[in-house]
Amino acid sequence: MRFVIDTNVFIASVLKDGLIREIITNSYHEFLFPEVIFKEIENHKEEFLDKSGLDVFNFDELLAKLIVYVNIIPNEKIESYKDKAKQIVESIDLDDAPFFATSLAFGSCPIWSQDGKLKEQKEVIVYNTKEILDLLRSV
């Protein structure tokens, strides 16, 4: 199965060696991550460092190690889906449009997010971590 993974889920795998990291690194499923989100990660890097207690070197090292477990989707691949994605999330949060554009580019594959508001839309299935775990256990 394929899943689009949102920034908060991915960053959680970087900041803490726990369930999310285990799912990402030990699953044979494909996790998609839009390239454009790396700007967001860079913009919030200080916040992530403060939350985690990691220094820049260790954060960057963990980020690099975990990136190999996700498929980075180039901006060009999702460009033609951006308008539809914005329509889907315009009443929720436009910052989530890249994840929806990525999902649409891959046949509306599910999105893995802890943001419950994303479930308000009806275009794409959104799973939280518990639901992902349950789904992966059943496959």
Side-chain angles (χ1 to χ4, degrees):
M1 283 186 90
R2 281 186 179 144
F3 301 94
V4 176
I5 186 170
D6 84 2
T7 306
N8 290 329
V9 170
F10 184 72
I11 289 298
S13 75
V14 174
L15 301 182
K16 183 178 179 194
D17 186 11
L19 178 62
I20 293 173
R21 187 183 297 176
E22 184 178 331
I23 292 170
I24 292 172
T25 60
N26 293 321
S27 175
Y28 60 89
H29 298 286
E30 183 179 8
F31 298 105
L32 310 176
F33 195 69
E35 174 185 39
V36 67
I37 299 306
F38 286 106
K39 289 180 185 176
E40 181 181 351
I41 291 172
E42 195 57 40
N43 290 341
H44 294 280
K45 193 173 196 174
E46 287 300 319
E47 178 185 337
F48 299 143
L49 294 174
D50 287 345
K51 283 183 180 180
S52 68
L54 294 170
D55 60 31
V56 174
F57 175 79
N58 287 320
F59 178 85
D60 289 344
E61 184 177 56
L62 278 168
L63 185 66
K65 285 180 181 178
L66 290 167
I67 284 174
V68 301
Y69 293 98
V70 297
N71 187 354
I72 310 292
I73 306 305
N75 296 332
E76 306 81 52
K77 177 83 175 173
I78 66 172
E79 185 64 39
S80 62
Y81 299 92
K82 284 184 178 178
D83 289 339
K84 174 70 173 169
K86 286 178 183 175
Q87 288 175 353
I88 294 170
V89 297
E90 67 186 344
S91 66
I92 303 168
D93 186 350
L94 283 173
D95 289 341
D96 292 310
F99 305 109
F100 282 83
T102 303
S103 171
L104 295 170
F106 287 86
S108 295
C109 68
I111 296 173
W112 178 4
S113 175
Q114 290 299 107
D115 186 346
K117 289 182 179 182
L118 296 181
K119 290 179 178 262
E120 294 172 5
Q121 54 74 44
K122 302 296 183 214
E123 298 287 327
V124 174
I125 295 171
V126 177
Y127 293 119
N128 62 33
T129 300
K130 182 189 178 312
E131 293 165 329
I132 289 284
L133 187 59
D134 292 344
L135 183 66
L136 296 180
R137 285 180 176 156
S138 71
V139 178

